[in-house]
């Protein structure tokens, strides 16, 4: 069974940092590109970041570029998102997702709340 | 960046109705588009990939069409479980971009 399990969300003050993790199982993680997608409360979906299977290609939405860093550890089947200089507008549920080709795997999401 | 304009933003329909949702891309994206369904408190679920390919396990009442800049998702006969929010997502180039969403409500 495919599982993507996010963790690391929580309440953080503006300007603070948080690191999200996503543990993958049930598929060949090391061969899979991965994404982070977020959804602010009551709002639509926003693609956040992408990392290729080897980690050699990375990209970000303009709204997070320079503040967020995506990484992966293929030996541990793990994806991460380091979030720095957090703003109120980063408040959202964050999903990790493998949505390449015919594959469609999503985690259950982890809530990040940025508030003083 | 490629902008995805999705319409309508909301739609009221009845069980058994045929429904069409449209996404227009600000530039050509070939067939690099997927359609997602999302229910409250749940992760999105993809219905269609590559513009017109039905995701495994998705009922055949869902279909997608289009290429280049204009795409449609059609639900041929609405079922009660189809009332949800729908999004398109282009993955032709980075940053990937979602449409604004279409909330499908029961009339």
């Amino acid at each position: 069974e495919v599982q993507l399990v996010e963790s690391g969300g929580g309440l953080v003050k503006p300007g603070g940092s948080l690191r999200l993790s996503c543990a993958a199982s049930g598929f060949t993680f090391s061969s899979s590109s991965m994404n982070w997608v977020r959804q602010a409360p009551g709002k639509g979906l926003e693609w956040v970041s992408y990392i290729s299977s080897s980690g050699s290609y990375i990209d970000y939405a303009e709204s997070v570029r320079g503040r967020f860093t995506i990484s992966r550890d293929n030996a541990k089947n793990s994806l991460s998102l380091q979030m720095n200089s957090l703003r109120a507008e980063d408040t959202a549920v964050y999903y990790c997702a493998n949505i390449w080709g015919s594959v469609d795997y999503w985690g259950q999401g982890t809530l990040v709340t940025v508030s003083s | 960046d490629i902008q995805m304009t999705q319409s309508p933003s909301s739609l009221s329909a009845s069980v058994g109705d045929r429904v069409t949702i449209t996404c227009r891309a600000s530039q050509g994206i070939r067939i690099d588009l997927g359609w997602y369904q999302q229910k409250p408190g749940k992760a999105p679920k993809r219905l269609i990939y590559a513009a017109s390919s039905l995701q495994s396990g998705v009922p055949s009442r869902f279909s997608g069409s289009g290429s280049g800049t204009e795409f449609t998702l059609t639900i041929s006969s609405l079922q009660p479980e189809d009332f949800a929010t729908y999004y398109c997502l282009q993955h032709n180039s980075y940053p990937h971009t979602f449409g604004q969403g279409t909330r499908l409500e029961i009339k």
Side-chain angles (χ1 to χ4, degrees):
Chain A
E1 179 194 6
V2 170
Q3 280 199 310
L4 291 169
V5 180
E6 301 96 337
S7 59
L11 176 63
V12 61
K13 290 182 168 53
S17 297
L18 212 54
R19 186 177 183 88
L20 305 184
S21 296
C22 173
S25 61
F27 66 98
T28 309
F29 181 77
S30 60
S31 300
S32 303
S33 59
M34 296 294 295
N35 298 266
W36 287 98
V37 173
R38 69 183 181 183
Q39 186 169 38
K43 302 296 185 183
L45 298 169
E46 181 185 16
W47 175 84
V48 173
S49 185
Y50 165 92
I51 186 167
S52 63
S53 57
S54 65
S56 60
Y57 184 81
I58 284 171
D59 211 336
Y60 301 95
E62 199 57 43
S63 58
V64 307
R65 191 183 303 274
R67 300 187 298 122
F68 290 11
T69 302
I70 191 171
S71 62
R72 64 189 298 156
D73 185 337
N74 285 343
K76 295 182 177 178
N77 287 353
S78 176
L79 176 73
S80 296
L81 186 68
Q82 177 68 41
M83 304 186 296
N84 299 331
S85 303
L86 283 162
R87 306 166 180 167
E89 54 265 34
D90 296 318
T91 294
V93 173
Y94 286 73
Y95 297 99
C96 64
N98 175 359
I99 50 176
W100 179 252
S102 62
V103 166
D104 182 49
Y105 305 145
W106 293 73
Q108 83 288 352
T110 187
L111 176 62
V112 172
T113 304
V114 184
S115 175
S116 55
Chain B
D1 297 0
I2 297 175
Q3 311 302 319
M4 300 302 297
T5 303
Q6 187 173 338
S7 60
S9 57
S10 64
L11 178 58
S12 292
S14 302
V15 172
D17 283 354
R18 181 184 181 90
V19 164
T20 298
I21 299 169
T22 298
C23 265
R24 289 187 174 86
S26 58
Q27 62 191 74
I29 59 169
R30 304 184 302 185
I31 57 168
D32 299 332
L33 182 119
W35 288 99
Y36 291 80
Q37 177 193 68
Q38 189 181 33
K39 296 183 178 179
K42 299 293 188 182
K45 169 189 170 183
R46 193 166 64 191
L47 307 171
I48 301 289
Y49 67 97
S52 62
S53 296
L54 192 67
Q55 193 74 34
S56 175
V58 172
S60 59
R61 63 181 179 273
F62 293 94
S63 64
S65 64
S67 66
T69 61
E70 187 147 342
F71 302 86
T72 59
L73 172 71
T74 299
I75 310 172
S76 60
S77 178
L78 274 173
Q79 298 302 300
E81 60 268 30
D82 300 338
F83 291 95
T85 302
Y86 294 82
Y87 298 91
C88 62
L89 169 67
Q90 74 79 18
H91 58 90
N92 176 263
S93 64
Y94 292 98
H96 293 176
T97 42
F98 285 94
Q100 303 94 318
T102 295
R103 184 172 180 180
L104 180 52
E105 300 173 320
I106 301 173
K107 184 184 286 184

